[in-house]
Amino acid sequence: MSRWTEIDAHIAFASLPGVGDRTLDGLKAVFRSYALAADLRLVEVADALDGLSAGAGSPLRQVSDLGDHLQAVRRAAEACGARLLCATDPGWPTRLSSLRDAASVGQTARPPSLLWVRGELTTLELSFSASLVGARRADGLAREQAHQLAAGLAEAGVSVISGGAAGVDGQAHRGALEAGGHTVAVLGTGVDQAYPRQHRALFEEILEARGALVSEHAPGTGPKRGHFPRRNRIISGLSDLVTVVAAAPGSGALITARLAEAQERGVCAVPGDPRRRLSSGPNQLLVEGALAVLEPWHLLENLVAWGGDIVDGGHLAEYLQARASQGAQGALAMGAQLPISPLASRVLAVLGPEGRSLDELAAALSLSPSVVAGALTELEVGGLAQRVSGAYVLRPTSHPSI
């Protein structure tokens, strides 16, 4: 019988510098469990891994005693008020387990080997969760939209996930906190670091409100360029729904949306003026099939449609039902919008709550399907129409803003 627990052995191996998914997979393949591998001399384990792949055992040769290493790692966690979680730990977020199903899209879709956590993650297991992501150099409109959406989500009991960065991320966390809700910041640094520096107070507020700071990087790890794109898979992985508020082409927020698609999460976007650079990312996602979001209500409806009462026992569905009688209060401020084209106006006139296919709309207007498709894209980007089960309907505008 092993003198190691599986969790301790998993953490000990996964926290060794240079050990990644391949090494951990190799340990399981050869020894059947991390605990059985930890019982052996490290040189024997390293030799076995080298037999699978040249050099795979190198990280193990840099440590003289695995037990001493584990104790040092535990002390580092304790020093900054963090705890370590691995996939074999009962406290591991269940949503992250499904990231292995998305591994086919690339290494970045795989779950982290370890999570360093400060604060509370248990709320995630009892509620819906939604991430709000976007530009660090967000303009005033984007910051206000992120704040409003986060506040609406938090008020309804939804956990708000973001990346702790400047701009949209920071406003998402602040909106959730001001609404008295739960929020999780997934960092590209160690959980003892404040990056950007001006967010030190914000991170402390998150912890005081029983939220959480999460990272796959050890305490003391500073910001590195490659860390931030990789942490995006954790943001999307912890979320039931990902919403891009404002983003330029090629931004990290769009990477998060792509990962969410691969992980079979819902993807939403806030439409904006096509003349505004920060609208280009969300608008492109809408053209590709993301759901348009004009107010928190839309996100909440999409969450219920996705999970019903499975996730939170029906709390969110009851909340929506209770608020439905309060009447319309308007949508997010969308900023200056281009007037829709005459062609789009013609298409809009024949849309209604009953879905009509592209061919049906083309026939009704005596236009070619390609021409109508262009007008529909314009209406979707403007938040006036949406696709439902392959058909097009008028976007509802009578839902209450939360």
Side-chain angles (χ1 to χ4, degrees):
M1 182 175 179
S2 174
R3 61 187 176 89
W4 286 77
T5 67
E6 187 68 3
I7 291 174
D8 281 350
H10 190 165
I11 290 173
F13 282 118
S15 59
L16 289 171
V19 168
D21 293 329
R22 289 185 180 182
T23 302
L24 294 173
D25 289 347
L27 285 168
K28 272 296 188 71
V30 174
F31 300 102
R32 303 195 309 278
S33 79
Y34 299 119
L36 291 175
D39 280 331
L40 301 174
R41 291 188 306 128
L42 284 179
V43 66
E44 295 179 56
V45 180
D47 288 343
L49 291 176
D50 284 340
L52 292 178
S53 177
S58 296
L60 278 65
R61 301 182 194 279
Q62 310 305 312
V63 178
S64 58
D65 187 279
L66 193 62
D68 289 346
H69 168 74
L70 178 62
Q71 288 182 17
V73 169
R74 295 286 194 196
R75 286 194 298 270
E78 184 178 352
C80 67
R83 66 188 187 281
L84 274 164
L85 295 179
C86 59
T88 49
D89 192 304
W92 185 258
T94 55
R95 289 178 180 87
L96 285 184
S97 299
S98 67
L99 266 67
R100 293 226 176 252
D101 298 333
S104 60
V105 304
Q107 187 68 14
T108 57
R110 294 186 62 133
S113 302
L114 288 177
L115 281 181
W116 300 76
V117 180
R118 292 179 67 195
E120 297 291 333
L121 281 181
T122 52
T123 301
L124 283 178
E125 303 301 309
L126 305 173
S127 66
F128 283 98
S129 60
S131 58
L132 298 172
V133 295
R136 285 178 170 83
R137 297 180 180 178
D139 56 21
L141 174 60
R143 293 165 67 87
E144 179 61 24
Q145 289 170 334
H147 195 281
Q148 287 186 42
L149 287 171
L153 290 167
E155 183 181 324
V158 176
S159 290
V160 176
I161 317 292
S162 199
V168 166
D169 290 14
Q171 288 302 311
H173 295 305
R174 289 191 173 94
L177 290 171
E178 290 178 17
H182 181 260
T183 185
V184 176
V186 182
L187 308 181
T189 64
V191 292
D192 61 338
Q193 305 292 299
Y195 182 79
R197 291 181 180 178
Q198 63 266 29
H199 278 185
R200 183 176 298 279
L202 172 63
F203 292 167
E204 291 303 320
E205 289 177 36
I206 289 173
L207 295 175
E208 290 171 6
R210 300 182 67 80
L213 306 179
V214 173
S215 177
E216 63 182 318
H217 304 292
T221 303
K224 295 182 180 179
R225 183 181 296 273
H227 289 176
F228 295 94
R230 278 185 56 79
R231 65 90 194 267
N232 292 339
R233 78 198 194 284
I234 304 176
I235 294 175
S236 56
L238 290 174
S239 308
D240 298 318
L241 199 73
V242 171
T243 298
V244 177
V245 178
S251 67
L254 296 185
I255 293 174
T256 308
R258 307 297 183 208
L259 289 166
E261 292 172 355
Q263 295 159 3
E264 298 184 349
R265 270 54 170 175
V267 177
C268 300
V270 177
D273 188 335
R275 296 169 296 184
R276 174 173 167 258
R277 188 166 185 268
L278 290 179
S279 296
S280 60
N283 288 351
Q284 180 60 39
L285 291 174
L286 292 170
V287 170
E288 295 171 2
L291 300 171
V293 172
L294 299 181
E295 52 184 321
W297 191 268
H298 298 144
L299 290 177
L300 300 179
E301 284 186 323
N302 289 331
L303 284 166
V304 170
W306 176 85
D309 59 1
I310 298 173
V311 175
D312 69 350
H315 169 81
L316 182 54
E318 292 174 3
Y319 178 87
L320 284 169
Q321 198 169 33
R323 292 297 298 259
S325 61
Q326 296 187 12
Q329 298 175 10
L332 291 173
M334 300 309 297
Q337 297 290 310
L338 288 174
I340 62 174
S341 66
L343 176 59
S345 296
R346 285 183 61 191
V347 176
L348 185 63
V350 298
L351 287 176
E354 300 296 325
R356 304 184 74 175
S357 70
L358 175 61
D359 288 339
E360 288 172 336
L361 290 169
L365 295 164
S366 299
L367 295 169
S368 70
S370 61
V371 170
V372 175
L376 286 167
T377 296
E378 181 182 347
L379 293 174
E380 286 184 276
V381 169
L384 299 173
Q386 66 183 42
R387 274 176 285 188
V388 178
S389 301
Y392 293 86
V393 299
L394 192 64
R395 178 84 198 197
T397 58
S398 60
H399 292 313
S401 179
I402 297 172

